[in-house]
């Protein structure tokens, strides 16, 4: 592990090999917490992070604005050949991803360990 730090709305772990685990906490309902999520995703994209894992274990609700921020980040990462994965997604949020067919686009893992392992292997 290279570096760990926190922001008011998230915990960040930078791992070896260009992998970052971003763990937002609280509900992502379009306020400062969602702005923080967007800022961090943009920062990691600009730094050339090759794999961003968003661990949603501490997020129980998410509105369309927050989902839009995740989609935007995913598209930016994908365009440059990097990947953005999600893990520990609450069942309610997972249902939204299934209904909207976003589950087909996002790489979703049941836990952080599997997400990290898959990013190390380069699996999509």
């Amino acid at each position: 592990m290279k570096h760990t730090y926190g922001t008011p709305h998230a915990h960040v772990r930078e791992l070896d090999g260009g992998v970052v685990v971003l763990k937002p906490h609280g509900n992502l309902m379009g306020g400062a917490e969602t702005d923080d999520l967007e800022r961090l995703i943009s920062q990691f994209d600009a730094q050339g992070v090759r794999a961003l894992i968003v661990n949603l274990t501490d997020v129980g609700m998410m509105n369309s604005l927050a989902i839009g921020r995740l989609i935007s980040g995913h598209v930016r990462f994908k365009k440059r050949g990097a990947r953005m994965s999600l893990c520990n997604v609450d069942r309610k949020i997972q249902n939204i991803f299934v209904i909207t067919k976003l589950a087909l686009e996002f790489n979703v893992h049941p836990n952080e360990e599997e997400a990290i392992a898959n990013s190390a292997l380069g699996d999509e």
Side-chain angles (χ1 to χ4, degrees):
M1 184 178 339
K2 291 167 78 175
H3 189 65
T4 301
Y5 60 94
T7 71
H9 304 286
H11 179 83
V12 176
R13 285 187 314 149
E14 296 180 9
L15 307 175
D16 292 327
V19 177
V20 172
V21 177
L22 170 58
K23 187 177 179 185
H25 46 82
N27 295 326
L28 297 172
M29 301 303 290
E33 73 288 343
T34 305
D35 294 341
D36 196 33
L37 175 70
E38 179 181 30
R39 181 187 61 75
L40 288 167
I41 291 172
S42 294
Q43 172 187 321
F44 299 132
D45 181 44
Q47 290 174 356
V49 167
R50 78 170 182 82
L52 176 62
I53 299 163
V54 182
N55 183 339
L56 296 173
T57 196
D58 293 334
V59 177
M61 292 192 315
M62 181 182 296
N63 70 5
S64 59
L65 185 61
I67 292 171
R69 300 295 193 257
L70 290 175
I71 293 168
S72 173
H74 175 72
V75 168
R76 286 194 311 251
F77 270 70
K78 193 172 182 176
K79 279 184 181 177
R80 63 178 180 82
R83 90 181 51 85
M84 191 172 121
S85 303
L86 307 177
C87 68
N88 292 320
V89 180
D90 181 87
R91 184 177 305 274
K92 294 176 291 199
I93 297 170
Q94 180 67 30
N95 287 341
I96 292 169
F97 277 77
V98 170
I99 290 167
T100 59
K101 302 213 186 302
L102 288 171
L104 299 173
E105 185 62 31
F106 276 94
N107 207 5
V108 180
H109 301 281
N111 57 57
E112 187 176 300
E113 294 76 21
E114 186 177 308
I116 291 169
N118 281 329
S119 71
L121 295 172
D123 291 348
E124 267 302 312

